[in-house]
């Protein structure tokens, strides 16, 4: 790996690959370091129409359009006794995509490479060194048992490490969790789910339940991502009652006619039920020297 770069981007998710591509297209020397080897699993599949403008800016729109992701023309909400649809086709950017993130993120990372970004996958940033408040170099490690390690210095750091949040969590310690968004999500994938003929094409289905709400996201590989979101306190209470993730998920689903109907002929894709918490947060400061 090079020992110096103008811009170091940590993380090759959408934030990292987008920033790196934009800067490389402006003529900067950009190095991106990603811990995992892509494709890697990630949640966050239902994109908003505003992403089209970003895809245009980085010159990746044609590649994304050609890939065959599920086009998303809007959303359908069944909330308590009310239901309504959200129709993107009336907006300035009239659609979006439902994406299998492993494939979408890989496409964007490959695009970054094609625009001149030097990308190192399977390489983890272990720590940063500072000149006063300014980060100026990063220690990296790669390979089983850290067979290869080194240091790279930079003028500017872009921390796009997502929830790991190297700068925010380890150095600035400025990440805060809002009381209203202390949610837990439990989700999995279903094969052969139905489609909502009454909603915009490829819409996300959102259905409320007494303890929270469900999402249903149709994906291009004939699976549907189906997740339950509930407050952390409710989740903890249910766990203390001895309920498994599966029990919490299926009991809630019994109270969601929209999702039950979509899944009536579907089968759960074998594999562990997935769960995440503490994924909504804010940082006081998002830029600083370096
Ligand atoms: C349950 C749930 C549902 C969601 N649903 C949606 C949705 O429907 N639509 C939507 O738009 N968003 C959704 N999101 C949010 C979405 O997942 C995130 O906003 C998005 O992934 C953020 O992208 P990112 O590039 O910032 O981070 P990430 O995609 O997380 O990328 C960060 C990258 O940094 C790498 N990394 C971390 N530490 C290091 C290190 N030390 N060295 C090198 N690399 C490192 C990681 O391996 C990772 O690849 C959801 C989130 C959750 C938790």
């Amino acid at each position: 790996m090079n020992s110096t770069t103008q811009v170091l981007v940590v993380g090759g998710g959408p934030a990292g690959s987008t920033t790196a591509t934009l800067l490389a297209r402006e003529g900067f020397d950009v190095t991106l370091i990603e811990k995992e080897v892509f494709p890697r699993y990630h949640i966050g599949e239902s994109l908003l129409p505003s992403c089209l403008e970003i895809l245009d800016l980085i010159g990746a729109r044609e590649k994304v359009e050609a890939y065959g992701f599920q086009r998303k023309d809007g959303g359908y909400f069944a909330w308590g006794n009310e239901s309504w649809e959200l129709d993107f086709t009336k907006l300035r950017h009239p659609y979006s995509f439902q994406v299998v993130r492993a494939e979408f993120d890989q496409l964007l990372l490959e695009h970054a490479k094609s625009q001149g970004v030097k990308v190192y996958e399977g390489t983890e940033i272990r720590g940063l060194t500072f000149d006063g408040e300014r980060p100026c170099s990063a220690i990296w490690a790669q390979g089983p048992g850290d067979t290869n390690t080194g240091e790279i210095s930079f003028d500017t750091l872009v921390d796009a490490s997502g929830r790991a949040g190297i700068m925010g969590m380890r150095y600035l310690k400025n990440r805060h969790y809002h009381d209203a968004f202390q949610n837990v999500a439990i989700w999995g994938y279903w094969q052969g789910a139905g489609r909502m003929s009454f909603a915009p094409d490829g819409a996300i289905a959102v259905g409320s339940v007494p303890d929270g709400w469900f999402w249903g996201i149709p994906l291009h590989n004939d699976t549907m991502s189906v997740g339950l979101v509930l407050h952390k306190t409710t989740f903890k209470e249910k766990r203390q009652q001895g309920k498994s993730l599966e029990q919490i998920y299926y009991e809630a689903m019994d109270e969601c006619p929209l999702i039950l109907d979509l899944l009536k002929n579907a089968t759960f894709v074998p594999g562990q039920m997935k769960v995440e918490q503490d994924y909504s947060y804010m940082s006081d400061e998002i830029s600083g020297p370096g």
Side-chain angles (χ1 to χ4, degrees):
M1 187 187 304
N2 39 319
S3 61
T4 179
T5 183
Q6 255 182 310
V7 181
L8 177 70
V9 177
V10 184
S17 53
T18 299
T19 315
T21 301
L22 276 172
L23 292 170
R25 283 162 70 96
E26 291 298 320
F28 290 94
D29 168 38
V30 186
T31 304
L32 184 154
I33 294 186
E34 164 57 49
K35 186 170 69 167
E36 307 286 340
V37 175
F38 280 23
R40 58 95 177 87
Y41 177 80
H42 209 292
I43 188 61
E45 295 142 336
S46 193
L47 305 184
L48 289 172
S50 47
C51 78
L52 294 182
E53 205 154 340
I54 311 286
L55 293 174
D56 280 337
L57 258 181
I58 63 171
R61 170 93 165 256
E62 274 182 24
K63 291 179 187 173
V64 173
E65 298 273 8
Y67 189 86
F69 292 117
Q70 170 66 54
R71 193 176 136 130
K72 172 188 175 189
D73 285 349
Y76 183 84
F77 297 78
W79 205 268
N81 295 326
E82 292 179 43
S83 62
W84 67 94
E85 68 171 44
L86 193 61
D87 185 0
F88 291 165
T89 63
K90 300 192 173 82
L91 303 178
R92 183 159 61 97
H93 300 299
Y95 61 94
S96 185
F97 300 99
Q98 316 277 25
V99 298
V100 173
R101 280 287 301 273
E103 298 172 32
F104 181 70
D105 290 12
Q106 187 175 27
L107 186 157
L108 291 186
L109 194 60
E110 289 302 321
H111 180 67
K113 287 181 198 168
S114 76
Q115 302 298 299
V117 178
K118 297 184 197 87
V119 174
Y120 297 90
E121 294 176 57
T123 307
E124 185 172 353
I125 295 299
R126 290 287 169 77
L128 300 170
T129 62
F130 289 78
D131 175 10
E133 288 185 1
R134 187 183 183 90
C136 55
S137 74
I139 313 295
W140 55 264
Q142 59 185 195
D146 293 353
T147 33
N148 210 2
T149 59
E151 184 168 359
I152 181 166
S153 61
F154 48 78
D155 297 334
T156 303
L157 173 75
V158 175
D159 179 3
S161 60
R163 290 182 65 197
I166 294 178
M167 277 299 288
M169 293 296 276
R170 208 180 303 172
Y171 298 104
L172 298 173
K173 300 195 190 318
N174 66 356
R175 185 174 282 185
H176 304 294
Y177 299 87
H178 196 291
D179 281 348
F181 298 109
Q182 303 261 332
N183 290 326
V184 176
I186 308 171
W187 73 95
Y189 294 86
W190 294 76
Q191 191 91 42
R195 293 296 175 112
M196 297 182 291
S197 54
F198 46 87
D201 199 29
I204 181 173
V206 176
S208 70
V209 290
D211 285 328
W213 58 278
F214 270 93
W215 77 70
I217 300 172
L219 298 167
H220 73 284
N221 59 8
D222 190 35
T223 64
M224 181 175 273
S225 166
V226 178
L228 166 68
V229 179
L230 69 174
H231 198 271
K232 204 170 166 176
T233 318
T234 315
F235 176 76
K236 274 191 187 152
E237 282 166 11
K238 289 181 187 292
R239 291 296 270 170
Q240 277 159 5
Q241 290 161 12
K243 291 187 178 169
S244 66
L245 292 180
E246 285 78 5
Q247 272 175 302
I248 298 171
Y249 183 78
Y250 286 113
E251 279 179 17
M253 194 181 284
D254 280 340
E255 304 199 71
C256 192
L258 177 69
I259 295 292
L260 276 180
D261 189 53
L262 287 171
L263 299 184
K264 62 178 183 251
N265 296 318
T267 47
F268 189 76
V269 178
Q272 250 189 330
M273 199 72 91
K274 297 179 189 299
V275 64
E276 284 276 8
Q277 57 182 331
D278 296 332
Y279 50 80
S280 305
Y281 47 80
M282 298 163 293
S283 292
D284 295 335
E285 203 183 346
I286 56 165
S287 65

